[in-house]
């Protein structure tokens, strides 16, 4: 629970090693709180949460300190063991009496965890998320809020984790970075729990969908499209069963009301009354997002709404955003704008 709000009630879930799990449900149902529970930041009010004791959990920090650490070193810090070994080796180099056997063990472990290729791996993560090579040495403080979130994401991916918790990782990413991240997560060897409102991203990554439904956790095999189809079928079946039961209840009640006081039918009326009392009620089918919206009709009659001819756009003394642009927008057009952030 969060305060007085109960999010889960006697819910059960088993996640198997290596699964890529999409977590879905309405806003406020408890998806992010589930992650806080797995990280140990929340305690369950009842029941148990069991994780392998040696599992390393990685998640994306929501805040980024405005530090002077270069971006590449900030990402490298995501691998705690790598940084710890580097610190020990640096201290050993300054200590002329250091245990040579221990130093050799450190070098062996450093090689085993890919320490010599770590900087290249961190640079690859930054490049994949759209951070230009020229900025890998820039201090974290020089990046804007959206770009710092990319640094946080890169740091989480740098961790050699057993369990990766990603909460809306595609926020602040442009299309190229989203596609790169989708490919990276497909190759991720650990267990993944993913919260996102991007259904295409879920379809590309998730093998299992866990749905927050009436304070329970329902598991569906397959990606989001499969979940949506199966849930629609279940709702249709539940709606049909509910309607059938309501007709049956109405029929039984009608019989009881008509013949309860009639001596010859009283026994049958009592039997139907007991049937009603023993009946296990089927809940009405519930859909998470029942709202609807519509756009007011437009009175625009012109075919061409906007035209740019040989247009140039720039901010202050910066290089132009575009030059010599010819563009016409017509009534009824559907236009997608693609490009990296800041283009």
């Amino acid at each position: 629970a969060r305060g007085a709000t109960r999010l889960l009630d006697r819910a059960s879930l088993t996640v198997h090693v290596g699964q890529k799990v999409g977590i879905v449900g309405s806003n406020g149902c408890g998806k992010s709180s589930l992650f806080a529970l797995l990280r140990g930041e929340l305690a369950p009010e009842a029941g148990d949460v069991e994780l392998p004791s040696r599992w390393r959990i990685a998640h994306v920090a929501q805040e980024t300190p405005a530090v002077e650490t270069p971006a590449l070193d900030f990402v490298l810090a995501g691998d705690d063991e790598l940084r710890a070994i580097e610190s020990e080796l640096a201290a050993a180099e300054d200590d002329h009496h250091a245990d040579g056997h221990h130093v050799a063990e450190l070098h062996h472990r450093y090689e085993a965890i890919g320490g010599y290729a770590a900087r290249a791996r961190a640079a690859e993560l930054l490049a994949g998320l759209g951070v230009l090579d020229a900025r890998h040495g820039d201090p974290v403080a020089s990046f804007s809020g959206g770009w710092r979130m990319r640094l946080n994401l890169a740091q989480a991916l740098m961790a050699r984790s057993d369990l990766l918790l990603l909460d809306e990782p595609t926020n602040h990413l442009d299309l190229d970075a989203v596609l790169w991240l989708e490919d990276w997560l497909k190759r991720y060897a650990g267990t993944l729990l993913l919260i996102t409102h991007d259904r295409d991203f879920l379809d590309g990554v998730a093998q299992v969908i866990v749905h927050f439904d009436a304070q329970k956790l329902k598991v569906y095999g397959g990606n989001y499209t499969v979940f949506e189809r199966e849930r629609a079928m279940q709702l249709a079946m539940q709606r049909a069963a509910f309607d059938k039961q309501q007709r049956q209840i109405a029929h039984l009640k009608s019989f009881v009301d008509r013949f309860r006081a009639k001596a010859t039918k009283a026994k049958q009326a009592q039997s139907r009354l007991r049937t009603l009392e023993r009946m296990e009620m089927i809940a009405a089918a519930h859909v998470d997002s029942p709202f609807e919206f519509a756009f007011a009709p437009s009175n625009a009659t012109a075919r061409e709404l906007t035209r740019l001819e040989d247009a140039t756009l720039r901010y202050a003394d910066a290089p132009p955003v575009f030059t010599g642009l010819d563009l016409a927008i017509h009534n009824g057009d559907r236009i997608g704008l693609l490009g990296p952030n800041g283009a």
Side-chain angles (χ1 to χ4, degrees):
R2 284 278 198 184
T5 304
R6 179 159 294 194
L7 302 172
L8 292 173
D9 184 18
R10 291 177 292 178
S12 296
L13 171 67
T14 299
V15 176
H16 299 285
V17 174
Q19 275 188 334
K20 293 179 172 59
V21 182
I23 311 292
V24 301
S26 58
N27 288 348
C29 68
K31 300 187 294 294
S32 297
S33 295
L34 176 64
F35 278 15
L37 181 71
L38 295 174
R39 293 196 301 266
E41 297 168 10
L42 281 179
E45 300 192 4
D48 298 303
V49 178
E50 298 177 2
L51 288 163
S53 59
R54 294 187 177 182
W55 262 24
R56 293 163 297 188
I57 300 177
H59 71 284
V60 180
Q62 295 304 306
E63 300 293 334
T64 315
V67 294
E68 294 303 312
T69 307
L72 190 68
D73 289 328
F74 179 80
V75 173
L76 281 166
D79 192 334
D80 295 334
E81 185 181 6
L82 177 78
R83 278 308 198 210
I85 293 175
E86 285 179 339
S87 296
E88 284 195 64
L89 285 172
E93 288 176 3
D94 294 336
D95 182 2
H96 300 296
H97 303 289
D99 181 356
H101 181 68
H102 178 59
V103 171
E105 286 182 340
L106 288 175
H107 277 289
H108 178 71
R109 180 59 185 161
Y110 189 72
E111 183 178 5
I113 65 173
Y116 296 108
R119 294 189 74 82
R121 191 154 56 94
E124 181 185 346
L125 292 172
L126 285 172
L129 292 173
V131 181
L132 298 174
D133 292 354
R135 298 215 63 188
H136 290 187
D138 291 356
V140 172
S142 69
F143 287 84
S144 66
W147 285 100
R148 288 188 198 178
M149 289 305 298
R150 296 193 191 208
L151 299 183
N152 285 349
L153 177 56
Q155 189 182 74
L157 301 184
M158 185 68 195
R160 288 173 298 105
S161 57
D162 301 289
L163 174 63
L164 178 58
L165 306 175
L166 293 182
D167 191 345
E168 297 293 354
T170 59
N171 287 359
H172 310 291
L173 297 185
D174 54 47
L175 183 59
D176 287 342
V178 169
L179 294 174
W180 175 88
L181 178 61
E182 180 180 320
D183 185 62
W184 192 96
L185 292 176
K186 287 177 183 176
R187 294 181 281 108
Y188 173 63
T191 304
L192 170 68
L193 266 61
L194 170 67
I195 299 170
T196 179
H197 285 89
D198 185 336
R199 59 177 296 154
D200 292 327
F201 190 73
L202 262 183
D203 268 353
V205 174
Q207 303 161 328
V208 175
I209 297 294
V210 172
H211 180 222
F212 274 72
D213 185 15
Q215 299 180 340
K216 297 289 189 285
L217 296 172
K218 293 187 68 175
V219 180
Y220 296 79
N223 60 18
Y224 186 82
T225 297
V226 174
F227 152 74
E228 200 172 47
R229 185 169 61 244
E230 289 191 8
R231 175 155 166 76
M233 290 172 58
Q234 289 181 8
L235 286 171
M237 291 170 62
Q238 185 176 346
R239 188 176 295 116
F242 175 78
D243 291 343
K244 181 179 178 182
Q245 186 180 62
Q246 292 302 305
R247 290 194 299 271
Q248 184 183 6
I249 289 171
H251 178 73
L252 291 170
K253 282 183 175 179
S254 174
F255 186 93
V256 170
D257 293 341
R258 284 170 57 201
F259 298 114
R260 178 184 285 172
K262 197 170 185 179
T264 57
K265 297 283 189 178
K267 195 171 182 180
Q268 292 170 285
Q270 287 298 318
S271 173
R272 283 162 171 75
L273 196 58
R274 285 193 294 273
T275 299
L276 275 171
E277 291 168 353
R278 290 195 300 267
M279 190 176 288
E280 186 174 334
M281 293 299 163
I282 298 171
H286 171 74
V287 180
D288 287 336
S289 302
F291 80 96
E292 296 178 357
F293 73 93
F295 289 105
S298 169
N299 295 321
T301 55
R303 179 175 176 274
E304 186 173 89
L305 305 181
T306 302
R307 171 174 286 278
L308 301 177
E309 293 181 353
D310 198 25
T312 298
L313 174 67
R314 62 157 35 98
Y315 290 92
D317 297 325
V321 176
F322 56 75
T323 60
L325 177 68
D326 294 321
L327 174 68
I329 299 177
H330 297 101
N331 189 10
D333 278 354
R334 302 290 187 268
I335 299 173
L337 294 179
L338 302 181
N341 289 353

